[in-house]
């Protein structure tokens, strides 16, 4: 897996990702504690609302931003957005009202909505070999997991020394260092995009996504991830501090358990995916998530609070395992479902649509957690996760193939798409449905 780090450009981008994620991890812990400081037991509702704002920004801005991103040099585009995020994060330590949290989250996440899809779409361009790209996806997942694992632990150590408000300075430093790593390498230019308008390219990206069966299945799996993950992200602080009466350090430990499970799976996945297809791995892992939520709901109803703490840590670890097994192969599905020139728009579509699922579950987890019992909240979100798993199994064909022979009877023989083809019948080695962006009648 680590052999991919021999590629200098990827190594610098990976370092930028790790450092930025570490800063974001400190912000996640600090923001949860800030919400609790301002709102007390209603912290879950505050976090749910803040994260809903984040999701609205992601859903509405990321596809449009991706449409315009091809007009700018990639390196400049990413560096400017990193600096915008750093500038916004500077104001977070000075927040003293809930509405200020909402405003700053909207500003910071607007820059992230433009940054993340462009960054993700760059990786397959610099790592064209599928094995290298799979390893890069696993390393990327491990970066997220290290953030989940180490950031809370370091945050817990720092809270006792400097107070949680100063954790936001780590966020600022993370974005600045990320910009420095990005500016240190030369990034490939985006593939030729033609004369289509940014809005047309945005529409094409969405059309490719929703007309590709495996990506429709991925969208359903996104709902499962959002249903289960919202419990962890929004309600862990309420469970740990209000329900169990534990400390800030225990909150960090609970989040670390979730990240630890995800990291273990990310390490194992490259070898696993070399022997198994993506579909069974992702569906089985997704099905485990509502199962663990329902098990924990039963434990909440039947086990004394004093005995629930180690069971929470174990459940969160298992949830991390399942989440990683769904998320790591997702990039492979996106890469294998679009031509290089279409990838930025398909990645942006995934970014927007997946966060649309979180837009449903984040506020639901926060608001339901503040008015209903913990068991009710767990069962409700598990039900949403089940809907996602069942839908994915139906939408994603079991005989999904990377290579698809097909014809274009409507095209002249000298059309560029038929170059190197025998007659009009030919194969895409990876892409199945990306042509639907050009041929709206949907014929392969």
């Amino acid at each position: 897996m680590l052999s991919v780090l021999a590629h200098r450009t990827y190594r610098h981008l990976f370092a930028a990702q790790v450092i930025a994620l570490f800063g974001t991890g400190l912000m996640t812990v600090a923001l949860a504690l800030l919400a609790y400081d301002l709102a007390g037991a209603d912290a879950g509702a505050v976090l749910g609302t803040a994260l809903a704002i984040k999701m609205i920004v992601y859903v509405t801005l990321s596809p449009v931003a991706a449409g315009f991103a091809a007009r700018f040099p990639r390196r400049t585009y990413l560096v400017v957005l990193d600096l915008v995020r750093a500038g916004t994060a500077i104001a977070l330590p000075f927040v003293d009202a809930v509405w200020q949290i909402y405003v700053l989250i909207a500003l910071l996440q607007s820059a992230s909505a433009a940054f993340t899809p462009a960054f993700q779409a760059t990786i397959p361009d610099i790592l064209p070999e599928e094995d290298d790209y799979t390893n890069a996806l696993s390393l990327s997942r491990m970066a997220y997991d290290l953030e989940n694992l180490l950031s809370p632990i370091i945050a817990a150590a720092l809270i006792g020394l400097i107070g949680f408000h100063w954790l936001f300075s780590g966020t600022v430093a993370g974005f600045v260092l990320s910009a420095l790593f990005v500016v240190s390498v030369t990034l490939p230019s985006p593939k030729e995009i033609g004369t289509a308008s940014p809005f047309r390219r945005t529409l094409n990206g969405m059309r490719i996504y929703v007309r590709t069966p495996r990506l429709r299945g991925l969208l359903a799996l996104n709902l499962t991830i959002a249903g289960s993950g919202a419990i962890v992200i929004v309600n862990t602080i309420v469970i740990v501090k209000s329900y169990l009466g534990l400390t800030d350090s225990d909150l960090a430990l609970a989040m670390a358990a979730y990240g630890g499970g995800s990291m273990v799976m990310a390490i194992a996945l490259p070898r696993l995916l070399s022997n198994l297809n993506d579909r069974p791995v992702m569906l089985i892992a997704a099905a485990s998530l509502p199962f663990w939520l329902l098990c924990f709901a039963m434990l909440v109803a039947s086990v004394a609070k004093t005995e629930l703490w180690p069971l929470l840590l174990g459940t969160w670890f298992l949830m991390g395992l399942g989440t990683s097994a769904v998320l790591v192969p997702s990039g492979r599905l996106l890469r294998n479902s679009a031509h290089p020139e279409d990838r930025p728009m398909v990645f942006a579509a995934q970014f927007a649509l997946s966060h649309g699922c979180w837009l449903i579950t984040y506020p639901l987890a926060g608001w339901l957690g503040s008015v209903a019992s913990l068991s009710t909240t767990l069962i409700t979100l598990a039900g949403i996760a089940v809907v996602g798993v069942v839908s994915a199994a139906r939408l994603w064909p079991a005989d999904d193939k990377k290579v698809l022979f097909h014809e274009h009877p409507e095209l002249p023989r000298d059309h560029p798409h038929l170059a190197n083809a025998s007659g009009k019948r030919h194969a895409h080695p990876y892409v199945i449905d990306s042509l639907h962006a050009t041929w709206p009648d949907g014929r392969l």
Side-chain angles (χ1 to χ4, degrees):
M1 182 195 304
L2 297 179
S3 61
V4 74
L5 293 175
H7 192 293
R8 179 180 180 274
T9 300
Y10 174 72
R11 184 170 66 249
H12 282 234
L13 291 181
F14 180 68
Q17 180 188 26
V18 170
I19 293 170
L21 284 172
F22 176 74
T24 303
L26 295 180
M27 183 183 71
T28 300
V29 176
L31 191 62
L33 294 171
L34 178 61
Y36 191 81
D37 191 45
L38 294 175
D42 292 329
V46 172
L47 279 178
T49 302
L51 293 171
I53 292 172
K54 171 182 174 180
M55 295 304 107
I56 291 172
V57 169
Y58 279 3
V59 170
T60 57
L61 289 188
S62 59
V64 177
F68 283 92
R71 300 297 184 187
F72 304 98
R74 269 180 174 167
R75 184 171 65 177
T76 302
Y77 183 77
L78 295 174
V79 168
V80 168
L81 291 171
D82 257 339
L83 295 179
V84 169
R85 295 195 291 180
T88 305
I90 290 175
L92 287 170
F94 305 103
V95 165
D96 58 8
V98 170
W99 68 268
Q100 295 171 1
I101 293 178
Y102 299 155
V103 171
L104 291 175
I105 287 296
L107 291 173
L108 190 148
Q109 300 305 336
S110 293
S112 292
F115 180 95
T116 304
F119 182 91
Q120 292 173 336
T122 302
I123 305 303
D125 286 345
I126 64 176
L127 297 173
E129 296 295 326
E130 185 169 22
D131 287 345
D132 287 340
Y133 184 54
T134 300
N135 288 331
L137 289 173
S138 292
L139 283 175
S140 179
R141 185 67 240 166
M142 286 182 63
Y144 282 99
D145 299 333
L146 284 171
E147 178 256 305
N148 286 331
L149 183 64
L150 297 180
S151 293
I153 293 174
I154 295 174
L158 292 175
I159 286 169
L161 297 175
I162 60 176
F164 72 83
H165 286 86
W166 286 99
L167 295 180
F168 291 116
S169 63
T171 302
V172 177
F175 290 141
V176 171
L177 290 174
S178 172
L180 291 175
F181 270 105
V182 173
V183 83
S184 69
V185 294
T186 300
L187 299 181
S189 300
K191 299 294 183 180
E192 179 61 39
I193 58 174
T195 59
S197 69
F199 293 102
R200 173 68 177 175
R201 293 196 302 277
T202 298
L203 181 61
N204 285 347
M206 287 291 183
R207 187 177 296 154
I208 292 169
Y209 194 103
V210 300
R211 292 189 178 183
T212 304
R214 67 163 75 101
L215 297 187
R216 289 199 296 268
L218 177 59
L219 178 57
L221 292 178
N222 289 332
L223 182 62
T224 297
I225 293 294
S228 59
I231 286 288
V232 176
I233 296 172
V234 176
N235 295 98
T236 297
I237 187 170
V238 178
I239 296 172
V240 171
K241 298 200 68 175
S242 293
Y243 188 78
L244 298 179
L246 300 175
T247 66
D248 293 347
S249 297
D250 293 321
L251 168 65
L253 185 59
M255 298 303 295
Y258 182 72
S262 185
M263 185 168 62
V264 168
M265 180 57 71
I267 293 172
L269 272 174
R271 178 170 295 183
L272 187 65
L273 292 175
S274 68
N275 298 315
L276 297 172
N277 293 329
D278 294 336
R279 186 180 185 274
V281 172
M282 296 174 72
L283 288 178
I284 293 171
S288 73
L289 297 174
F291 175 78
W292 297 127
L293 283 181
L294 291 173
C295 288
F296 189 67
M298 295 174 60
L299 292 172
V300 168
S302 59
V303 174
K305 290 184 180 181
T306 55
E307 301 175 3
L308 198 60
W309 172 236
L311 299 174
L312 171 67
L313 295 178
T315 301
W316 265 214
F317 179 85
L318 294 170
M319 295 271 288
L321 288 174
T323 299
S324 185
V326 176
L327 291 179
V328 169
S330 297
R332 287 160 49 110
L333 300 189
L334 297 168
R335 174 186 181 272
N336 293 344
S337 300
H339 293 295
E341 62 270 22
D342 295 324
R343 281 181 193 148
M345 304 313 308
V346 174
F347 273 87
Q350 160 69 3
F351 190 76
L353 294 172
S354 64
H355 285 91
C357 297
W358 290 97
L359 180 57
I360 298 170
T361 60
Y362 269 150
L364 180 61
W367 297 333
L368 187 61
S370 65
V371 300
S373 68
L374 177 57
S375 294
T376 300
T377 304
L378 289 164
I379 292 171
T380 300
L381 272 296
I384 292 175
V386 169
V387 170
V389 175
V390 173
S391 300
R394 294 175 62 87
L395 292 170
W396 187 351
D399 60 347
D400 186 33
K401 297 181 176 65
K402 288 184 179 179
V403 178
L404 183 66
F405 285 92
H406 58 280
E407 297 182 359
H408 289 281
E410 74 281 5
L411 298 183
R413 287 186 178 273
D414 60 351
H415 191 277
H417 181 64
L418 299 178
N420 302 319
S422 176
K424 293 189 178 183
R425 179 172 173 80
H426 67 131
H428 284 304
Y430 297 110
V431 182
I432 288 186
D433 283 355
S434 68
L435 285 180
H436 288 155
T438 303
W439 308 107
D441 61 1
R443 288 178 289 171
L444 289 173

